[in-house]
Amino acid sequence: MTTATAAPELHTDIPSAAARIPALDYTRTVDRLLVHRDALGEVFLTDLQQIDEGRYLAGAQLPRSHAYYGDHLLRPESYDPLLVLEACRQAGLAGAHRLYDVSAHSKFILTHLSLDIVRPERLAIGPASAQLAMDVTIASRKEREGRVTGLDYLFTLAVDGTVVGTATLGLRFKTPNGYLTLRLNNRNGMALPTSATYPRSTPGTPIPPHLVGRANAENVLLVEPAVTHAGSSALLRVPARHASLFDHPQDHLPGMVIAEGARQLALFATLELHGMSTAKTAVTGIDIRFTRFGELEDETVLTAETGVRTAPGEAPAEHYTLGGVLELPEDDGTERVPVRVEARQKGEVLCVATFRLARSRPADDRGNRSRA
């Protein structure tokens, strides 16, 4: 039987929410197996502290320099929003194992993730690595025969005692046999592949790195780009030897790989259609809903549709997501563009991602606002 607890509200009172977060340990990372990572350098989670049955705290150290998460043209330099989401993902994985007795042999399935950054200036890279504090609430808990089969998480995120945003994450847990049955059914009985034997490069002409906000071509995930009057499209490059995106062999396209490809296409479309430089365009909102597994062998087509560019002083335009209308924050004099990205294989939707892109502010302006 499947049960679910009522979803509590997020901590919306920012000062009091931050005040409730006690000291967390940032001196060492957790066991890499808790966060499903092979390389120690890919582990960012440092601490877990359970508050009660439905709430715990987690700490993560965000590295100032990283071959993947640190390779961005954005100025002023800021921590990658997908790095923040990866920290949340690791907090969800470790919490499931350590606090909710999900077996180490269980297979984890990512159903959704979102991020809303309300204080982007607080994520600027400074002289020391940022210490991210996560106040984690279990919004929904699914059980069957006494075993936890799914958790939906709500995160309140703070840096240096100031809440910088909120996030959500959904995970489902399968036994090895249950996972194998699910995957084989999805593949019409075809044996599972492995990224360990995947071709080293995907055919096609890659997008130049600077057009997707990157300096290193190894971090570019798009090939064969095309631009239309309303958006853009590209094929997803599967970087099977990438040390971060494929930290260990996979039998499918990881959700974070699709998320990165979607983010790059959103930046490319905004540059091509709205002239917003990737060096001055920050991602301040992400909402991604996964509907099926992405297969390694199949061609993955990404399409992006940009919304109306909102100039300073104008009311933000409505934009839709699978969860409803995307609510943009109140106007603060920043240009914004919403972008919707679909990922498809064989005509079937793998996921829908909605991004909120905003014009990055000069360093002194960001500093003045942070002191306001």
Side-chain angles (χ1 to χ4, degrees), residues 60-329:
Q61 185 183 78
L62 306 182
R64 290 183 296 161
S65 177
H66 190 276
Y68 164 60
Y69 291 111
D71 175 41
H72 294 286
L73 301 182
L74 182 66
R75 296 295 182 270
E77 288 185 287
S78 297
Y79 289 104
D80 187 342
L82 288 184
L83 170 61
V84 177
L85 272 179
E86 173 61 20
C88 293
R89 194 186 72 89
Q90 292 188 11
L93 296 174
H97 285 308
R98 184 176 287 177
L99 305 179
Y100 298 100
D101 297 323
V102 177
S103 168
H105 301 293
S106 294
K107 298 293 186 178
F108 284 48
I109 300 172
L110 181 64
T111 62
H112 69 270
L113 69 165
S114 70
L115 176 67
D116 180 24
I117 300 174
V118 297
R119 297 294 299 272
E121 76 280 358
R122 293 289 184 172
L123 288 174
I125 296 177
S129 295
Q131 295 180 345
L132 179 67
M134 295 167 274
D135 192 333
V136 189
T137 299
I138 302 302
S140 176
R141 173 173 171 167
K142 304 180 187 301
E143 296 182 358
R144 177 169 294 176
E145 299 177 350
R147 181 176 66 87
V148 176
T149 59
L151 293 169
D152 292 325
Y153 306 78
L154 301 174
F155 298 82
T156 300
L157 311 172
V159 175
D160 296 330
T162 298
V163 169
V164 299
T166 57
T168 68
L169 174 72
L171 294 174
R172 301 295 178 264
F173 317 119
K174 292 284 188 181
T175 64
N177 285 339
Y179 176 80
L180 180 60
T181 298
L182 174 65
R183 292 288 288 119
L184 290 178
N185 286 341
N186 288 345
R187 293 172 56 82
N188 295 320
M190 292 176 55
L192 299 187
T194 173
S195 60
T197 58
Y198 192 85
R200 194 167 185 85
S201 62
T202 300
T205 303
I207 291 181
H210 69 278
L211 297 183
V212 293
R214 294 287 187 172
N216 185 351
E218 292 298 317
N219 291 323
V220 175
L221 298 195
L222 303 180
V223 299
E224 302 299 333
V227 179
T228 68
H229 69 282
S232 62
S233 65
L235 299 180
L236 182 70
R237 181 178 75 87
V238 181
R241 303 296 184 272
H242 196 285
S244 295
L245 294 171
F246 282 85
D247 167 77
H248 55 278
Q250 298 276 3
D251 64 33
H252 62 281
L253 279 178
M256 297 302 281
V257 172
I258 301 174
E260 173 61 26
R263 187 256 296 270
Q264 291 186 13
L265 189 62
L267 287 170
F268 175 73
T270 305
L271 170 64
E272 291 294 318
L273 296 174
H274 296 281
M276 293 175 64
S277 166
T278 58
K280 290 297 180 181
T281 303
V283 176
T284 59
I286 301 172
D287 185 272
I288 305 179
R289 308 282 160 166
F290 298 95
T291 54
R292 61 187 295 124
F293 284 95
E295 301 296 347
L296 291 171
E297 309 99 326
D298 295 337
E299 183 178 80
T300 306
V301 180
L302 300 176
T303 57
E305 176 187 352
T306 66
V308 178
R309 180 175 178 174
T310 304
E314 293 181 356
E318 286 190 350
H319 195 70
Y320 57 90
T321 71
L322 286 182
V325 174
L326 178 67
E327 294 183 1
L328 299 181

